[in-house]
PDB file of all heavy atoms in Angstrom:
ATOM      1  N   GLN A 103     -25.215  26.826 -17.173  1.00  0.00           N
ATOM      2  CA  GLN A 103     -25.972  26.797 -18.416  1.00  0.00           C
ATOM      3  C   GLN A 103     -26.088  25.351 -18.885  1.00  0.00           C
ATOM      4  O   GLN A 103     -25.127  24.795 -19.429  1.00  0.00           O
ATOM      5  CB  GLN A 103     -25.305  27.665 -19.483  1.00  0.00           C
ATOM      6  CG  GLN A 103     -26.149  27.835 -20.729  1.00  0.00           C
ATOM      7  CD  GLN A 103     -25.663  28.980 -21.600  1.00  0.00           C
ATOM      8  OE1 GLN A 103     -24.571  29.515 -21.403  1.00  0.00           O
ATOM      9  NE2 GLN A 103     -26.477  29.374 -22.552  1.00  0.00           N
ATOM     10  N   PRO A 104     -27.264  24.732 -18.680  1.00  0.00           N
ATOM     11  CA  PRO A 104     -27.475  23.367 -19.166  1.00  0.00           C
ATOM     12  C   PRO A 104     -27.509  23.330 -20.686  1.00  0.00           C
ATOM     13  O   PRO A 104     -27.750  24.359 -21.335  1.00  0.00           O
ATOM     14  CB  PRO A 104     -28.836  22.991 -18.573  1.00  0.00           C
ATOM     15  CG  PRO A 104     -29.080  23.979 -17.474  1.00  0.00           C
ATOM     16  CD  PRO A 104     -28.416  25.238 -17.939  1.00  0.00           C
ATOM     17  N   PRO A 105     -27.314  22.160 -21.279  1.00  0.00           N
ATOM     18  CA  PRO A 105     -27.360  22.057 -22.742  1.00  0.00           C
ATOM     19  C   PRO A 105     -28.698  22.539 -23.289  1.00  0.00           C
ATOM     20  O   PRO A 105     -29.759  22.122 -22.826  1.00  0.00           O
ATOM     21  CB  PRO A 105     -27.165  20.562 -22.994  1.00  0.00           C
ATOM     22  CG  PRO A 105     -26.444  20.065 -21.782  1.00  0.00           C
ATOM     23  CD  PRO A 105     -26.989  20.878 -20.642  1.00  0.00           C
ATOM     24  N   GLY A 106     -28.650  23.437 -24.262  1.00  0.00           N
ATOM     25  CA  GLY A 106     -29.853  23.915 -24.910  1.00  0.00           C
ATOM     26  C   GLY A 106     -30.709  24.867 -24.103  1.00  0.00           C
ATOM     27  O   GLY A 106     -31.816  25.193 -24.529  1.00  0.00           O
ATOM     28  N   LYS A 107     -30.224  25.324 -22.953  1.00  0.00           N
ATOM     29  CA  LYS A 107     -31.002  26.211 -22.103  1.00  0.00           C
ATOM     30  C   LYS A 107     -30.250  27.496 -21.797  1.00  0.00           C
ATOM     31  O   LYS A 107     -29.056  27.618 -22.075  1.00  0.00           O
ATOM     32  CB  LYS A 107     -31.378  25.501 -20.802  1.00  0.00           C
ATOM     33  CG  LYS A 107     -32.272  24.292 -20.995  1.00  0.00           C
ATOM     34  CD  LYS A 107     -32.725  23.721 -19.665  1.00  0.00           C
ATOM     35  CE  LYS A 107     -33.681  22.566 -19.868  1.00  0.00           C
ATOM     36  NZ  LYS A 107     -34.152  22.011 -18.577  1.00  0.00           N
ATOM     37  N   GLU A 108     -30.965  28.461 -21.218  1.00  0.00           N
ATOM     38  CA  GLU A 108     -30.368  29.741 -20.873  1.00  0.00           C
ATOM     39  C   GLU A 108     -29.570  29.636 -19.580  1.00  0.00           C
ATOM     40  O   GLU A 108     -29.796  28.750 -18.752  1.00  0.00           O
ATOM     41  CB  GLU A 108     -31.458  30.801 -20.724  1.00  0.00           C
ATOM     42  CG  GLU A 108     -32.231  31.094 -22.002  1.00  0.00           C
ATOM     43  CD  GLU A 108     -31.344  31.672 -23.081  1.00  0.00           C
ATOM     44  OE1 GLU A 108     -30.515  32.552 -22.773  1.00  0.00           O
ATOM     45  OE2 GLU A 108     -31.474  31.241 -24.235  1.00  0.00           O
ATOM     46  N   ARG A 109     -28.639  30.560 -19.419  1.00  0.00           N
ATOM     47  CA  ARG A 109     -27.843  30.613 -18.207  1.00  0.00           C
ATOM     48  C   ARG A 109     -28.723  30.967 -17.016  1.00  0.00           C
ATOM     49  O   ARG A 109     -29.596  31.826 -17.102  1.00  0.00           O
ATOM     50  CB  ARG A 109     -26.723  31.639 -18.373  1.00  0.00           C
ATOM     51  CG  ARG A 109     -25.636  31.563 -17.325  1.00  0.00           C
ATOM     52  CD  ARG A 109     -24.426  32.396 -17.739  1.00  0.00           C
ATOM     53  NE  ARG A 109     -23.856  31.926 -18.993  1.00  0.00           N
ATOM     54  CZ  ARG A 109     -22.748  32.415 -19.539  1.00  0.00           C
ATOM     55  NH1 ARG A 109     -22.083  33.396 -18.937  1.00  0.00           N
ATOM     56  NH2 ARG A 109     -22.313  31.936 -20.686  1.00  0.00           N
ATOM     57  N   GLU A 110     -28.486  30.298 -15.884  1.00  0.00           N
ATOM     58  CA  GLU A 110     -29.282  30.523 -14.696  1.00  0.00           C
ATOM     59  C   GLU A 110     -28.395  30.660 -13.463  1.00  0.00           C
ATOM     60  O   GLU A 110     -27.303  30.090 -13.383  1.00  0.00           O
ATOM     61  CB  GLU A 110     -30.274  29.373 -14.491  1.00  0.00           C
ATOM     62  CG  GLU A 110     -29.612  28.029 -14.239  1.00  0.00           C
ATOM     63  CD  GLU A 110     -30.606  26.894 -14.098  1.00  0.00           C
ATOM     64  OE1 GLU A 110     -31.795  27.085 -14.427  1.00  0.00           O
ATOM     65  OE2 GLU A 110     -30.195  25.795 -13.664  1.00  0.00           O
ATOM     66  N   GLY A 111     -28.891  31.420 -12.493  1.00  0.00           N
ATOM     67  CA  GLY A 111     -28.153  31.633 -11.265  1.00  0.00           C
ATOM     68  C   GLY A 111     -28.175  30.413 -10.366  1.00  0.00           C
ATOM     69  O   GLY A 111     -29.164  29.683 -10.305  1.00  0.00           O
ATOM     70  N   VAL A 112     -27.081  30.201  -9.648  1.00  0.00           N
ATOM     71  CA  VAL A 112     -26.951  29.084  -8.719  1.00  0.00           C
ATOM     72  C   VAL A 112     -26.807  29.588  -7.288  1.00  0.00           C
ATOM     73  O   VAL A 112     -27.563  29.197  -6.398  1.00  0.00           O
ATOM     74  CB  VAL A 112     -25.755  28.193  -9.087  1.00  0.00           C
ATOM     75  CG1 VAL A 112     -25.555  27.098  -8.044  1.00  0.00           C
ATOM     76  CG2 VAL A 112     -25.947  27.590 -10.477  1.00  0.00           C
ATOM     77  N   ALA A 113     -25.818  30.451  -7.049  1.00  0.00           N
ATOM     78  CA  ALA A 113     -25.551  30.945  -5.708  1.00  0.00           C
ATOM     79  C   ALA A 113     -24.735  32.221  -5.790  1.00  0.00           C
ATOM     80  O   ALA A 113     -24.009  32.440  -6.756  1.00  0.00           O
ATOM     81  CB  ALA A 113     -24.808  29.895  -4.882  1.00  0.00           C
ATOM     82  N   SER A 114     -24.838  33.051  -4.763  1.00  0.00           N
ATOM     83  CA  SER A 114     -24.049  34.274  -4.683  1.00  0.00           C
ATOM     84  C   SER A 114     -23.464  34.423  -3.295  1.00  0.00           C
ATOM     85  O   SER A 114     -23.939  33.814  -2.332  1.00  0.00           O
ATOM     86  CB  SER A 114     -24.892  35.505  -5.034  1.00  0.00           C
ATOM     87  OG  SER A 114     -25.807  35.804  -3.992  1.00  0.00           O
ATOM     88  N   ILE A 115     -22.441  35.265  -3.191  1.00  0.00           N
ATOM     89  CA  ILE A 115     -21.830  35.564  -1.911  1.00  0.00           C
ATOM     90  C   ILE A 115     -21.299  36.988  -1.913  1.00  0.00           C
ATOM     91  O   ILE A 115     -20.776  37.457  -2.928  1.00  0.00           O
ATOM     92  CB  ILE A 115     -20.701  34.554  -1.579  1.00  0.00           C
ATOM     93  CG1 ILE A 115     -20.175  34.770  -0.159  1.00  0.00           C
ATOM     94  CG2 ILE A 115     -19.570  34.631  -2.600  1.00  0.00           C
ATOM     95  CD1 ILE A 115     -19.266  33.636   0.320  1.00  0.00           C
ATOM     96  N   TRP A 116     -21.456  37.671  -0.789  1.00  0.00           N
ATOM     97  CA  TRP A 116     -20.838  38.966  -0.581  1.00  0.00           C
ATOM     98  C   TRP A 116     -19.580  38.715   0.243  1.00  0.00           C
ATOM     99  O   TRP A 116     -19.674  38.397   1.436  1.00  0.00           O
ATOM    100  CB  TRP A 116     -21.783  39.919   0.139  1.00  0.00           C
ATOM    101  CG  TRP A 116     -21.213  41.283   0.369  1.00  0.00           C
ATOM    102  CD1 TRP A 116     -20.333  41.947  -0.424  1.00  0.00           C
ATOM    103  CD2 TRP A 116     -21.494  42.153   1.471  1.00  0.00           C
ATOM    104  NE1 TRP A 116     -20.038  43.179   0.110  1.00  0.00           N
ATOM    105  CE2 TRP A 116     -20.736  43.330   1.278  1.00  0.00           C
ATOM    106  CE3 TRP A 116     -22.305  42.061   2.596  1.00  0.00           C
ATOM    107  CZ2 TRP A 116     -20.768  44.400   2.170  1.00  0.00           C
ATOM    108  CZ3 TRP A 116     -22.352  43.124   3.486  1.00  0.00           C
ATOM    109  CH2 TRP A 116     -21.589  44.282   3.266  1.00  0.00           C
ATOM    110  N   PRO A 117     -18.399  38.826  -0.347  1.00  0.00           N
ATOM    111  CA  PRO A 117     -17.166  38.455   0.358  1.00  0.00           C
ATOM    112  C   PRO A 117     -16.936  39.201   1.663  1.00  0.00           C
ATOM    113  O   PRO A 117     -16.373  38.631   2.600  1.00  0.00           O
ATOM    114  CB  PRO A 117     -16.072  38.793  -0.662  1.00  0.00           C
ATOM    115  CG  PRO A 117     -16.753  38.641  -1.981  1.00  0.00           C
ATOM    116  CD  PRO A 117     -18.155  39.155  -1.742  1.00  0.00           C
ATOM    117  N   ALA A 118     -17.360  40.452   1.751  1.00  0.00           N
ATOM    118  CA  ALA A 118     -17.098  41.250   2.939  1.00  0.00           C
ATOM    119  C   ALA A 118     -17.743  40.672   4.191  1.00  0.00           C
ATOM    120  O   ALA A 118     -17.200  40.816   5.287  1.00  0.00           O
ATOM    121  CB  ALA A 118     -17.567  42.684   2.718  1.00  0.00           C
ATOM    122  N   ALA A 119     -18.888  40.037   4.037  1.00  0.00           N
ATOM    123  CA  ALA A 119     -19.627  39.534   5.185  1.00  0.00           C
ATOM    124  C   ALA A 119     -19.918  38.044   5.120  1.00  0.00           C
ATOM    125  O   ALA A 119     -20.389  37.473   6.106  1.00  0.00           O
ATOM    126  CB  ALA A 119     -20.938  40.302   5.340  1.00  0.00           C
ATOM    127  N   GLY A 120     -19.676  37.416   3.982  1.00  0.00           N
ATOM    128  CA  GLY A 120     -19.975  36.010   3.838  1.00  0.00           C
ATOM    129  C   GLY A 120     -21.448  35.705   3.649  1.00  0.00           C
ATOM    130  O   GLY A 120     -21.851  34.541   3.759  1.00  0.00           O
ATOM    131  N   GLU A 121     -22.256  36.716   3.373  1.00  0.00           N
ATOM    132  CA  GLU A 121     -23.680  36.497   3.147  1.00  0.00           C
ATOM    133  C   GLU A 121     -23.905  35.783   1.822  1.00  0.00           C
ATOM    134  O   GLU A 121     -23.289  36.137   0.811  1.00  0.00           O
ATOM    135  CB  GLU A 121     -24.433  37.830   3.158  1.00  0.00           C
ATOM    136  CG  GLU A 121     -24.371  38.543   4.501  1.00  0.00           C
ATOM    137  CD  GLU A 121     -25.094  39.873   4.489  1.00  0.00           C
ATOM    138  OE1 GLU A 121     -25.484  40.338   3.401  1.00  0.00           O
ATOM    139  OE2 GLU A 121     -25.274  40.451   5.578  1.00  0.00           O
ATOM    140  N   THR A 122     -24.785  34.801   1.815  1.00  0.00           N
ATOM    141  CA  THR A 122     -25.016  33.979   0.635  1.00  0.00           C
ATOM    142  C   THR A 122     -26.485  33.907   0.270  1.00  0.00           C
ATOM    143  O   THR A 122     -27.365  34.084   1.116  1.00  0.00           O
ATOM    144  CB  THR A 122     -24.498  32.553   0.845  1.00  0.00           C
ATOM    145  OG1 THR A 122     -25.166  31.959   1.960  1.00  0.00           O
ATOM    146  CG2 THR A 122     -22.998  32.555   1.118  1.00  0.00           C
ATOM    147  N   THR A 123     -26.748  33.639  -1.001  1.00  0.00           N
ATOM    148  CA  THR A 123     -28.086  33.349  -1.493  1.00  0.00           C
ATOM    149  C   THR A 123     -27.997  32.155  -2.431  1.00  0.00           C
ATOM    150  O   THR A 123     -26.954  31.900  -3.033  1.00  0.00           O
ATOM    151  CB  THR A 123     -28.717  34.537  -2.234  1.00  0.00           C
ATOM    152  OG1 THR A 123     -27.950  34.836  -3.412  1.00  0.00           O
ATOM    153  CG2 THR A 123     -28.767  35.772  -1.346  1.00  0.00           C
ATOM    154  N   TYR A 124     -29.125  31.432  -2.576  1.00  0.00           N
ATOM    155  CA  TYR A 124     -29.157  30.236  -3.400  1.00  0.00           C
ATOM    156  C   TYR A 124     -30.426  30.180  -4.226  1.00  0.00           C
ATOM    157  O   TYR A 124     -31.490  30.624  -3.793  1.00  0.00           O
ATOM    158  CB  TYR A 124     -29.095  28.976  -2.536  1.00  0.00           C
ATOM    159  CG  TYR A 124     -27.809  28.823  -1.774  1.00  0.00           C
ATOM    160  CD1 TYR A 124     -27.676  29.338  -0.493  1.00  0.00           C
ATOM    161  CD2 TYR A 124     -26.720  28.163  -2.335  1.00  0.00           C
ATOM    162  CE1 TYR A 124     -26.494  29.212   0.207  1.00  0.00           C
ATOM    163  CE2 TYR A 124     -25.533  28.027  -1.637  1.00  0.00           C
ATOM    164  CZ  TYR A 124     -25.426  28.553  -0.362  1.00  0.00           C
ATOM    165  OH  TYR A 124     -24.253  28.420   0.335  1.00  0.00           O
ATOM    166  N   ALA A 125     -30.300  29.609  -5.407  1.00  0.00           N
ATOM    167  CA  ALA A 125     -31.476  29.281  -6.184  1.00  0.00           C
ATOM    168  C   ALA A 125     -32.221  28.145  -5.497  1.00  0.00           C
ATOM    169  O   ALA A 125     -31.614  27.272  -4.866  1.00  0.00           O
ATOM    170  CB  ALA A 125     -31.084  28.869  -7.597  1.00  0.00           C
ATOM    171  N   SER A 126     -33.531  28.148  -5.626  1.00  0.00           N
ATOM    172  CA  SER A 126     -34.332  27.126  -4.955  1.00  0.00           C
ATOM    173  C   SER A 126     -33.982  25.716  -5.418  1.00  0.00           C
ATOM    174  O   SER A 126     -34.096  24.754  -4.648  1.00  0.00           O
ATOM    175  CB  SER A 126     -35.821  27.393  -5.173  1.00  0.00           C
ATOM    176  OG  SER A 126     -36.147  27.380  -6.552  1.00  0.00           O
ATOM    177  N   SER A 127     -33.533  25.579  -6.649  1.00  0.00           N
ATOM    178  CA  SER A 127     -33.222  24.271  -7.203  1.00  0.00           C
ATOM    179  C   SER A 127     -31.999  23.612  -6.574  1.00  0.00           C
ATOM    180  O   SER A 127     -31.831  22.395  -6.687  1.00  0.00           O
ATOM    181  CB  SER A 127     -33.017  24.376  -8.719  1.00  0.00           C
ATOM    182  OG  SER A 127     -31.959  25.262  -9.024  1.00  0.00           O
ATOM    183  N   VAL A 128     -31.150  24.401  -5.922  1.00  0.00           N
ATOM    184  CA  VAL A 128     -29.925  23.847  -5.338  1.00  0.00           C
ATOM    185  C   VAL A 128     -29.839  24.043  -3.837  1.00  0.00           C
ATOM    186  O   VAL A 128     -28.934  23.484  -3.193  1.00  0.00           O
ATOM    187  CB  VAL A 128     -28.667  24.441  -5.999  1.00  0.00           C
ATOM    188  CG1 VAL A 128     -28.725  24.276  -7.509  1.00  0.00           C
ATOM    189  CG2 VAL A 128     -28.493  25.910  -5.625  1.00  0.00           C
ATOM    190  N   LYS A 129     -30.740  24.805  -3.264  1.00  0.00           N
ATOM    191  CA  LYS A 129     -30.697  25.084  -1.830  1.00  0.00           C
ATOM    192  C   LYS A 129     -30.771  23.778  -1.041  1.00  0.00           C
ATOM    193  O   LYS A 129     -31.627  22.934  -1.288  1.00  0.00           O
ATOM    194  CB  LYS A 129     -31.843  26.004  -1.438  1.00  0.00           C
ATOM    195  CG  LYS A 129     -31.737  26.569  -0.026  1.00  0.00           C
ATOM    196  CD  LYS A 129     -32.838  27.572   0.241  1.00  0.00           C
ATOM    197  CE  LYS A 129     -32.728  28.175   1.635  1.00  0.00           C
ATOM    198  NZ  LYS A 129     -31.478  28.982   1.777  1.00  0.00           N
ATOM    199  N   GLY A 130     -29.863  23.631  -0.102  1.00  0.00           N
ATOM    200  CA  GLY A 130     -29.785  22.418   0.689  1.00  0.00           C
ATOM    201  C   GLY A 130     -28.843  21.380   0.121  1.00  0.00           C
ATOM    202  O   GLY A 130     -28.460  20.441   0.834  1.00  0.00           O
ATOM    203  N   ARG A 131     -28.475  21.516  -1.151  1.00  0.00           N
ATOM    204  CA  ARG A 131     -27.552  20.577  -1.788  1.00  0.00           C
ATOM    205  C   ARG A 131     -26.201  21.218  -2.105  1.00  0.00           C
ATOM    206  O   ARG A 131     -25.174  20.544  -2.041  1.00  0.00           O
ATOM    207  CB  ARG A 131     -28.140  20.020  -3.083  1.00  0.00           C
ATOM    208  CG  ARG A 131     -29.420  19.217  -2.884  1.00  0.00           C
ATOM    209  CD  ARG A 131     -29.822  18.503  -4.180  1.00  0.00           C
ATOM    210  NE  ARG A 131     -30.079  19.441  -5.266  1.00  0.00           N
ATOM    211  CZ  ARG A 131     -29.431  19.438  -6.433  1.00  0.00           C
ATOM    212  NH1 ARG A 131     -28.478  18.539  -6.671  1.00  0.00           N
ATOM    213  NH2 ARG A 131     -29.753  20.319  -7.373  1.00  0.00           N
ATOM    214  N   PHE A 132     -26.214  22.496  -2.473  1.00  0.00           N
ATOM    215  CA  PHE A 132     -24.993  23.215  -2.838  1.00  0.00           C
ATOM    216  C   PHE A 132     -24.633  24.225  -1.760  1.00  0.00           C
ATOM    217  O   PHE A 132     -25.510  24.783  -1.089  1.00  0.00           O
ATOM    218  CB  PHE A 132     -25.182  23.978  -4.158  1.00  0.00           C
ATOM    219  CG  PHE A 132     -25.320  23.116  -5.381  1.00  0.00           C
ATOM    220  CD1 PHE A 132     -25.504  21.745  -5.299  1.00  0.00           C
ATOM    221  CD2 PHE A 132     -25.264  23.712  -6.639  1.00  0.00           C
ATOM    222  CE1 PHE A 132     -25.635  20.964  -6.443  1.00  0.00           C
ATOM    223  CE2 PHE A 132     -25.392  22.944  -7.784  1.00  0.00           C
ATOM    224  CZ  PHE A 132     -25.578  21.578  -7.686  1.00  0.00           C
ATOM    225  N   THR A 133     -23.340  24.487  -1.622  1.00  0.00           N
ATOM    226  CA  THR A 133     -22.855  25.481  -0.677  1.00  0.00           C
ATOM    227  C   THR A 133     -21.779  26.333  -1.335  1.00  0.00           C
ATOM    228  O   THR A 133     -20.811  25.797  -1.875  1.00  0.00           O
ATOM    229  CB  THR A 133     -22.272  24.828   0.587  1.00  0.00           C
ATOM    230  OG1 THR A 133     -23.263  23.996   1.214  1.00  0.00           O
ATOM    231  CG2 THR A 133     -21.820  25.892   1.584  1.00  0.00           C
ATOM    232  N   VAL A 134     -21.952  27.650  -1.289  1.00  0.00           N
ATOM    233  CA  VAL A 134     -20.946  28.567  -1.815  1.00  0.00           C
ATOM    234  C   VAL A 134     -20.132  29.116  -0.647  1.00  0.00           C
ATOM    235  O   VAL A 134     -20.682  29.414   0.417  1.00  0.00           O
ATOM    236  CB  VAL A 134     -21.593  29.706  -2.624  1.00  0.00           C
ATOM    237  CG1 VAL A 134     -22.506  30.576  -1.759  1.00  0.00           C
ATOM    238  CG2 VAL A 134     -20.531  30.554  -3.304  1.00  0.00           C
ATOM    239  N   SER A 135     -18.833  29.250  -0.839  1.00  0.00           N
ATOM    240  CA  SER A 135     -17.969  29.732   0.226  1.00  0.00           C
ATOM    241  C   SER A 135     -16.710  30.331  -0.369  1.00  0.00           C
ATOM    242  O   SER A 135     -16.476  30.265  -1.575  1.00  0.00           O
ATOM    243  CB  SER A 135     -17.613  28.603   1.197  1.00  0.00           C
ATOM    244  OG  SER A 135     -16.882  27.583   0.539  1.00  0.00           O
ATOM    245  N   GLN A 136     -15.877  30.914   0.500  1.00  0.00           N
ATOM    246  CA  GLN A 136     -14.595  31.480   0.111  1.00  0.00           C
ATOM    247  C   GLN A 136     -13.526  31.077   1.099  1.00  0.00           C
ATOM    248  O   GLN A 136     -13.815  30.809   2.270  1.00  0.00           O
ATOM    249  CB  GLN A 136     -14.657  33.006   0.064  1.00  0.00           C
ATOM    250  CG  GLN A 136     -15.029  33.600  -1.270  1.00  0.00           C
ATOM    251  CD  GLN A 136     -14.749  35.083  -1.304  1.00  0.00           C
ATOM    252  OE1 GLN A 136     -15.224  35.823  -0.444  1.00  0.00           O
ATOM    253  NE2 GLN A 136     -13.979  35.521  -2.281  1.00  0.00           N
ATOM    254  N   ASP A 137     -12.284  31.061   0.644  1.00  0.00           N
ATOM    255  CA  ASP A 137     -11.172  30.867   1.552  1.00  0.00           C
ATOM    256  C   ASP A 137     -10.976  32.137   2.373  1.00  0.00           C
ATOM    257  O   ASP A 137     -11.491  33.197   2.031  1.00  0.00           O
ATOM    258  CB  ASP A 137      -9.899  30.505   0.778  1.00  0.00           C
ATOM    259  CG  ASP A 137      -9.389  31.659  -0.063  1.00  0.00           C
ATOM    260  OD1 ASP A 137     -10.205  32.355  -0.701  1.00  0.00           O
ATOM    261  OD2 ASP A 137      -8.159  31.864  -0.094  1.00  0.00           O
ATOM    262  N   SER A 138     -10.218  32.028   3.446  1.00  0.00           N
ATOM    263  CA  SER A 138     -10.051  33.168   4.347  1.00  0.00           C
ATOM    264  C   SER A 138      -9.368  34.353   3.686  1.00  0.00           C
ATOM    265  O   SER A 138      -9.597  35.504   4.072  1.00  0.00           O
ATOM    266  CB  SER A 138      -9.264  32.744   5.595  1.00  0.00           C
ATOM    267  OG  SER A 138      -7.979  32.248   5.241  1.00  0.00           O
TER     268      SER A 138
END
């Protein structure tokens, strides 16, 4: 949530399979992951 703006999605992950999705604004720059 940037200052003065609404909350927005960045990235998601399904822990069971490690499948991820990203917002277009961060794709290629951010990486979501989990420990083993």
Side-chain angles (χ1 to χ4, degrees):
Q103 188 164 12
K107 297 186 177 181
E108 296 297 317
R109 194 167 300 184
E110 64 182 13
V112 175
S114 73
I115 187 169
W116 181 32
E121 296 179 350
T122 60
T123 64
Y124 295 91
S126 60
S127 60
V128 306
K129 191 175 181 65
R131 298 189 299 122
F132 291 11
T133 302
V134 63
S135 63
Q136 269 193 306
D137 68 318
S138 60

